[in-house]
Amino acid sequence: MTSQPSQKSGSIEHYDAVIIGAGVSGMYALHHLREMGMSVRVYDGATGIGGTWWYNRYPGARVDGPGSPHYCYTFSKELMQEWDWAETQSKQSDVLDYLEYVADRFDLRRDIQFETWVEDVRYDDAAQRWTVETSTGVRASAQFMICAVGALSMTNMPNIPGIHGFAGECYHTGNWPHEPVSFEGKRVAVIGTGSSGVQAIPEIAKEAEHVTVLQRTAQFTFPAGNRPLTAEEVADARANFDSNIEKMHANDGGFPVDPSPERSAFDDTPEEREARYEALWQRGGFGFFHGLYSDIAITEESNQTLSDFVRKKIRETVNDPETAKKLLPDHFVITKRPILDDGYYETYNRDNVTLVDLRDDPIERFTETSVITASGEHPIDILVLATGFDAISGSMLRLNPKGRGGVSLKEKWNERFHNYLGMAIGGFPNLFMIHGPGSPGVFYNMPLGAERQMGWIGQCMSHLREKELGAIEPTTDSEEAWGNEVSGIADFTLFPRTDSWWTGANIEGKPRYFTAYLGGSLYYQRIADVASNNYEGFTFEPVHGIDKQI
Ligand code: N01
């Protein structure tokens, strides 16, 4: 591909592509487009690379999915041979060290501008280019706009009376300070018992004088089973790099795991089922979910066999029966994002931890020095908000690009997050999302997902350049059909029936429906087919000024 070198014209810089976000996805997008010979600029509001791994530095933060050594990039065999992962569930600082290493190894920083918030992104119909205004005054224009803004980066701040008047320290897990936070001798309240809260609470409790956990929804959590990787595992990952990648591509979650045979929970006797759950529980880790019956997320009856098992574990683990009762979840297990923990339920056996069930004892307000619930006042020094994110669509809506005719994304997405293939949006030509709504995103190994989506996007860009086309965007019909496909797959499962950040139910006023593509590896087949079918579902526009038959 011929590159259009970046150049300054007046106060505006011109690139082939602008990437917003220097996290896992944006870093790969930069590398990939540079390899294609494009001029690229990345903007990020943080002072360093890493995105989610830059911001989420709370105590206990670790990879809580299928972990190392396969939560990483696969584009470079050498990189895989060079990097030593220490544990199965890498801690946040290890993942960030890895990303720093990647940034240095592939000389990424020279094309990234940090501490720069993109404040306006606007399509210029006549020029067929995007223009970008930033917080530092730098302006840029590019033919292609890559939004690598993160599926879990727009923090959800609870709107509770008096919270802004609380005079103690207050931290959100998704925007944790870089300086160490000391909990020693402090009375701490934590709101939120999702993955972040469940990872942070046991660590905070080890240090604090007292921890009050303010729980809105009891959660199912599973033993993380974190342990050092063995030399054999590391050697195996290196020696079998190619075959592992093949397996990862075939696997529905993007990990080198052989597909489990189709088997209902009721194909086993209750005793066999119990033994299976127990063995998975003892082993721990995300493998728990790979080892489950294939109908666990499909039928209520199968789901109940597992939820009964975990409820029994909670009762066995937590000494105080009243506390144990408050911890028993009542939704379908795994239909909220499964959580991996390291001694979460055990933490409630400590004398310095109190659980408040907000369903029975709701928060009324904050004062300067306390949180007041229906049952009384809890004096606190530190408030930790583990309240999650306006996930999947929130960071795109915060960016709020303005497409054709100045129509904003907020206008386009006021009821549904219309898009095609989870990557492209009608009325927003040449703009691509990574891990956006309608993609497997948060249900897939995210570094690998970013690589695979970016591969498709790069191919699409090459197609435009080779055919001398100026713009591509999806049709309304293809967006509607894609939305139906995404919902149709989800409706086959129990996932949409539970309130979760997957369904947008955690954010007041957000359209409530399940937006992730649950078809696993089928997604990559679907997008490949669209490309090989001359980008079926898209419309093209010639380069303005060129009279061309498309
Ligand atoms: O956020 P969450 P998270 N009053 O939305 C509660 C990924 N992750 O940051 O369930 C009271 O899951 C809310 O209650 P409810 C992972 O994919 C990855 O924990 O909505 N409570 C819930 O308990 C994960 O799933 C890693 O009723 C309020 C909690 O806050 C995703 O990020 C580590 C409230 C939010 O839980 C998000 O996890 C951590 C209110 N007003 C997370 N508002 C790694 O891999 C919200 N809540 C490192």
Side-chain angles (χ1 to χ4, degrees):
M1 171 174 294
T2 52
S3 139
Q4 177 193 316
S6 73
Q7 47 184 278
K8 298 211 174 197
S9 104
S11 60
I12 191 156
E13 299 173 6
H14 296 286
Y15 301 97
D16 291 323
V18 157
I19 297 167
I20 305 177
V24 170
S25 309
M27 287 170 62
Y28 178 69
L30 168 61
H31 174 72
H32 186 69
L33 295 180
R34 262 190 354 201
E35 291 285 290
M36 286 172 60
M38 288 201 169
S39 64
V40 191
R41 193 71 174 154
V42 184
Y43 299 104
D44 196 296
T47 54
I49 52 102
T52 219
W53 295 104
W54 173 264
Y55 287 103
N56 287 265
R57 299 165 180 254
Y58 57 85
R62 284 181 181 277
V63 171
D64 75 343
S68 311
H70 301 294
Y71 176 87
C72 61
Y73 295 117
T74 63
F75 68 88
S76 162
K77 195 167 182 168
E78 293 72 35
L79 177 63
M80 182 61 143
Q81 309 298 317
E82 289 161 15
W83 187 258
D84 286 319
W85 291 107
E87 298 171 291
T88 55
Q89 311 299 137
S90 301
K91 56 180 195 273
Q92 174 269 339
S93 57
D94 283 0
V95 181
L96 195 56
D97 284 351
Y98 166 76
L99 295 174
E100 301 265 0
Y101 179 79
V102 173
D104 291 339
R105 170 81 164 71
F106 297 94
D107 191 18
L108 299 181
R109 286 177 225 273
R110 69 181 152 90
D111 290 318
I112 305 176
Q113 185 165 325
F114 295 109
E115 294 182 83
T116 304
W117 277 103
V118 172
E119 293 182 333
D120 191 56
V121 180
R122 202 169 281 271
Y123 188 66
D124 179 340
D125 228 325
Q128 295 173 306
R129 292 178 73 81
W130 286 91
T131 56
V132 171
E133 309 274 344
T134 69
S135 58
T136 57
V138 166
R139 300 173 64 225
S141 106
Q143 184 183 6
F144 299 108
M145 175 61 53
I146 310 292
C147 301
V149 288
L152 291 159
S153 56
M154 170 86 183
T155 50
N156 172 34
M157 304 299 284
N159 186 14
I160 300 170
I163 196 165
H164 300 295
F166 173 64
E169 296 164 63
C170 178
Y171 307 106
H172 193 290
T173 47
N175 195 5
W176 199 260
H178 287 215
E179 311 73 45
V181 174
S182 171
F183 293 99
E184 223 173 292
K186 299 283 172 60
R187 297 160 304 176
V188 184
V190 181
I191 304 184
T193 53
S195 303
S196 306
V198 164
Q199 286 185 334
I201 289 162
E203 294 304 311
I204 297 172
K206 286 176 195 163
E207 214 188 301
E209 180 185 307
H210 193 269
V211 180
T212 304
V213 178
L214 300 159
Q215 169 194 276
R216 185 164 73 182
T217 307
Q219 264 282 18
F220 292 99
T221 115
F222 300 80
N226 181 42
R227 57 173 176 77
L229 280 164
T230 64
E232 292 74 35
E233 284 168 323
V234 174
D236 175 76
R238 287 181 178 160
N240 298 313
F241 179 84
D242 295 317
S243 59
N244 276 336
I245 288 182
E246 241 173 72
K247 275 191 190 175
M248 287 161 86
H249 281 225
N251 175 263
D252 283 338
F255 289 90
V257 179
D258 291 322
S260 317
E262 289 284 315
R263 189 168 181 80
S264 163
F266 294 100
D267 289 340
D268 279 344
T269 64
E271 294 72 27
E272 287 166 340
R273 234 176 9 239
E274 179 81 5
R276 183 177 181 138
Y277 291 150
E278 185 61 36
L280 290 169
W281 187 270
Q282 292 308 328
R283 195 178 68 191
F286 218 79
F288 190 99
F289 309 105
H290 296 142
L292 287 176
Y293 299 104
S294 43
D295 58 352
I296 283 292
I298 313 272
T299 74
E300 292 186 24
E301 296 74 18
S302 291
N303 193 274
Q304 178 140 10
T305 64
L306 179 60
S307 55
D308 286 348
F309 174 83
V310 182
R311 286 195 197 102
K312 186 185 71 155
K313 285 288 179 194
I314 298 171
R315 285 196 207 90
E316 284 169 7
T317 308
V318 178
N319 298 339
D320 172 37
E322 276 309 303
T323 305
K325 203 166 146 203
K326 290 183 202 167
L327 286 166
L328 298 180
D330 57 12
H331 53 274
F332 298 120
V333 61
I334 74 171
T335 58
K336 271 166 137 27
R337 165 67 153 77
I339 301 176
L340 298 183
D341 75 275
D342 187 6
Y344 176 69
Y345 294 127
E346 289 83 348
T347 296
Y348 292 96
N349 295 333
R350 298 178 67 105
D351 292 337
N352 68 335
V353 177
T354 309
L355 178 65
V356 176
D357 180 354
L358 299 180
R359 289 189 185 179
D360 292 339
D361 188 7
I363 300 176
E364 290 183 347
R365 65 192 166 91
F366 279 85
T367 70
E368 280 191 9
T369 55
S370 67
V371 52
I372 298 180
T373 64
S375 67
E377 183 166 12
H378 310 264
I380 54 169
D381 306 300
I382 301 182
L383 172 61
V384 173
L385 301 172
T387 45
F389 303 90
D390 182 350
I392 308 178
S393 52
S395 45
M396 277 302 295
L397 284 165
R398 175 173 58 182
L399 181 68
N400 196 26
K402 321 294 177 310
R404 275 194 200 287
V407 174
S408 72
L409 191 62
K410 281 186 182 160
E411 291 168 85
K412 165 108 187 175
W413 279 5
N414 64 348
E415 281 177 1
R416 282 184 93 78
F417 309 118
H418 304 285
N419 71 79
Y420 184 41
L421 308 182
M423 288 188 280
I425 307 168
F428 294 76
N430 299 352
L431 177 146
F432 299 98
M433 302 179 285
I434 305 181
H435 296 321
S439 77
V442 291
F443 274 81
Y444 199 75
N445 184 349
M446 293 188 89
L448 179 66
E451 288 176 336
R452 298 188 77 180
Q453 282 194 313
M454 203 50 227
W456 188 94
I457 293 166
Q459 237 184 1
C460 177
M461 291 173 167
S462 298
H463 180 82
L464 257 72
R465 292 274 168 104
E466 279 157 19
K467 304 275 178 197
E468 295 181 352
L469 297 166
I472 180 171
E473 66 184 293
T475 64
T476 309
D477 285 352
S478 58
E479 287 187 316
E480 196 180 327
W482 186 254
N484 291 340
E485 182 169 335
V486 171
S487 296
I489 299 173
D491 288 346
F492 183 66
T493 71
L494 299 171
F495 288 106
R497 291 171 55 186
T498 297
D499 283 347
S500 69
W501 60 259
W502 282 335
T503 61
N506 63 328
I507 303 294
E508 218 182 307
K510 186 167 174 170
R512 192 192 182 294
Y513 73 107
F514 195 90
T515 56
Y517 189 91
L518 278 183
S521 54
L522 172 68
Y523 173 78
Y524 296 98
Q525 190 54 53
R526 292 282 287 110
I527 64 175
D529 289 347
V530 166
S532 55
N533 224 351
N534 198 25
Y535 293 91
E536 187 180 20
F538 286 94
T539 56
F540 294 100
E541 203 179 60
V543 174
H544 283 173
I546 297 183
D547 191 12
K548 192 166 186 301
Q549 199 71 36
I550 298 173

